[in-house]
């Protein structure tokens, strides 16, 4: 203690303090460090919470098709076996359901729905190519006995393909496809009219090229010739219209759908969508809200695991074609498979062999096939011959179709 001359004692310097206020400064720094740490932790937690909320919302949008899973499990022993590890076959079903306020605009809700569009999408094991095969809704096929929505069971019958979805939903459609093709369907996705429109609007429309103007009252569609960007409503009319566009055939309608899907794939894969969160979220929200899938796909993680390898597929290796078909012998308004060409296509998909498409193959005709009696020409899967100078290499058959890199007016 120091003598202050009668003014009372003055305490000496406190341990750790300095005459210049260094201790106070350090205490302030420590307080700000704690505040900053708490603030940073709060930001991280809020961001994590927001990310989880977004993930949970998008995952919750998807409807798992539990009923179909249970029905397919019932018939597991009769289903085909996958032949190539890591190759995947996904059945895409466009439903014509009128259920709900938005879908009701397209017709009366009869309490049933049919597959307005069905596409079997094959993804190669190395994810180097994707092949989408349209299955005509009027194709005559053997539909097995299926569980109806009311719990009763239908009898097997020979009828139009889209009746399978009407009778027994996605499970019945999958079993019909598997019996027709002997290809194992690994996953399925069902989308309705509203979901399709929302997806197109979420990417700010899709550009197509029209050779001539369209004035279709039934589809409420008036479009000029040339390059046109379609919004969701216009796109739905464009892919669904049949009798008033072109020659009125379902074949032309399916080709129009294929060209549109190719343009949609190109738009979604563009950098301004995939690399822009402000644009990507609406796309994911619209896409997931419109989907009913098998339980394995009914989450963002499931979908991501499926599509993550697709980002690197060149768009010229994303192919679209229609199964070889012709008018049904007993009814010109129905279709039947062209054999052995259809079986050649199915065999190539089963064995994960390349499929080649070209737009100059006449519709409804046989594909351009090897003529040396080997490989795909006799219905066997194409395999590269052993290296022998005297043996010519047979190319795989070429089917009528297009790729995502092509445009209908080029």
């Amino acid at each position: 203690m120091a003598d202050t001359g009668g003014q009372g004692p003055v305490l000496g310097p406190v341990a750790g303090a300095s005459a210049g206020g260094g201790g106070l400064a350090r205490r302030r720094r420590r307080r700000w460090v704690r505040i900053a740490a708490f603030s940073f932790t709060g930001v991280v937690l809020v961001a994590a919470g927001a990310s989880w909320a977004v993930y949970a919302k998008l995952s919750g949008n998807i409807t798992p098709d539990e009923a179909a899973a249970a029905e397919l499990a019932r018939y597991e022993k009769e289903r085909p076996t996958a032949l190539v590890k890591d190759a995947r076959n996904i059945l895409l079903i466009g439903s014509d359901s009128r259920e709900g306020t938005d879908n009701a605009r397209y017709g009366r809700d009869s309490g049933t729905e049919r597959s307005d569009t069905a596409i079997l999408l094959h993804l190669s094991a190395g994810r180097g190519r994707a092949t989408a095969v349209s299955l005509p809704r009027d194709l005559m096929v053997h539909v097995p006995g299926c569980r109806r929505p009311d719990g009763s069971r239908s009898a097997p019958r020979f009828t139009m393909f889209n009746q399978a979805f009407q009778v027994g939903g996605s499970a019945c459609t999958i079993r019909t496809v598997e019996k027709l093709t002997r290809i194992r369907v690994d996953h399925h996705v069902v989308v309705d009219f509203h979901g399709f429109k929302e997806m197109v609007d979420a990417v700010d429309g899709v550009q197509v090229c029209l050779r001539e103007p369209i004035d279709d009252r039934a589809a409420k569609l008036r479009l000029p010739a040339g390059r046109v960007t379609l919004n969701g409503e216009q796109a739905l009319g464009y892919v669904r219209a049949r009798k008033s566009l072109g020659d009125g055939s379902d074949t032309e309608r399916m080709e129009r759908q294929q060209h549109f899907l190719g343009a949609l794939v190109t738009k979604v894969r563009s950098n301004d969508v995939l690399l822009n969160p402000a644009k990507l979220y609406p796309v994911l929200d619209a896409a997931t809200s419109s989907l009913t899938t098998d339980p394995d796909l009914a989450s963002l993680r499931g979908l991501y695991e499926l599509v993550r390898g697709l980002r690197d597929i060149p768009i010229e290796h994303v192919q679209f074609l229609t199964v070889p078909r012709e008018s049904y012998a007993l009814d010109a308004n129905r279709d039947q498979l062209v054999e052995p060409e259809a079986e050649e296509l199915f065999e190539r998909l089963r064995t994960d062999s390349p499929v080649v498409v070209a737009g100059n193959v006449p519709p409804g005709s046989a594909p351009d096939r090897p003529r040396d009696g080997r490989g795909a020409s006799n219905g066997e899967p194409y395999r590269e011959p052993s290296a022998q100078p005297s043996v010519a290499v047979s190319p795989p058959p070429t089917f009528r179709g297009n790729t995502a890199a092509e445009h209908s007016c080029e």
Side-chain angles (χ1 to χ4, degrees), residues 78 177 255-256 265 396 404:
E78 72 176 36
V177 170
E255 290 181 353
R256 191 164 61 249
V265 167

Side-chain angles (χ1 to χ4, degrees), residues 51-296:
S51 298
W52 173 252
V54 170
Y55 177 89
K57 180 184 185 302
L58 295 178
S59 288
N61 284 346
I62 306 170
T63 303
D65 199 346
E66 302 286 358
E71 180 71 356
L72 292 173
R74 176 188 178 99
Y75 292 95
E76 179 60 37
K77 290 184 178 180
E78 72 176 36
R79 299 183 65 194
T81 301
L83 300 182
V84 180
K85 183 181 179 181
D86 294 332
R88 291 291 180 269
N89 296 295
I90 303 99
L91 186 62
L92 310 177
I93 302 172
S95 165
D96 72 351
S97 171
R98 268 66 172 182
E99 184 180 359
T101 303
D102 197 72
N103 289 330
R105 299 169 54 194
Y106 304 101
R108 182 176 59 87
D109 181 10
S110 63
T112 63
E113 54 184 326
R114 288 177 292 184
S115 51
D116 197 60
T117 301
I119 296 175
L120 183 61
L121 175 63
H122 175 78
L123 306 178
S124 65
R127 300 299 186 266
R129 60 186 182 276
T131 304
V133 180
S134 294
L135 301 171
R137 60 184 182 180
D138 294 338
L139 184 67
M140 298 300 292
V141 297
H142 291 279
V143 176
C146 296
R147 183 183 185 278
R148 296 190 181 98
D150 64 3
S152 64
R153 293 204 167 261
S154 65
R157 57 177 171 165
F158 186 66
T159 185
M160 293 187 301
F161 172 68
N162 68 349
Q163 290 290 315
F165 195 73
Q166 182 177 6
V167 170
S170 51
C172 191
T173 303
I174 291 168
R175 293 178 59 215
T176 300
V177 170
E178 291 184 338
K179 286 180 177 294
L180 179 72
T181 65
R182 291 186 291 126
I183 295 171
R184 173 79 175 207
V185 174
D186 302 293
H187 302 289
H188 69 277
V189 175
V190 182
V191 61
D192 62 16
F193 294 158
H194 177 69
F196 177 83
K197 292 192 309 179
E198 290 291 303
M199 180 66 181
V200 174
D201 284 335
V203 296
D204 296 328
V206 174
Q207 187 182 84
V208 297
C209 196
L210 307 177
R211 293 185 179 276
E212 55 188 29
I214 294 177
D215 188 357
D216 186 326
R217 290 186 179 181
K220 300 178 182 179
L221 199 61
R222 293 192 64 181
L223 300 170
R227 295 189 181 276
V228 180
T229 298
L230 305 180
N231 62 28
E233 188 72 35
Q234 293 169 325
L236 181 62
Y238 178 72
V239 300
R240 293 193 66 235
R242 178 176 178 179
K243 295 182 179 180
S244 57
L245 293 185
D247 62 8
S249 70
D250 199 40
T251 297
E252 184 168 298
R253 186 180 76 105
M254 287 186 291
E255 290 181 353
R256 191 164 61 249
Q257 292 172 350
Q258 292 164 7
H259 282 291
F260 181 85
L261 290 175
L264 177 60
V265 167
T266 301
K267 182 65 177 286
V268 171
R269 283 172 51 120
S270 66
N271 286 343
D272 74 326
V273 173
L274 293 181
L275 300 182
N276 185 338
K279 290 188 176 182
L280 182 58
Y281 175 79
V283 173
L284 292 175
D285 191 33
T288 53
S289 296
S290 67
L291 299 183
T292 297
T293 76
D294 58 279
D296 287 343

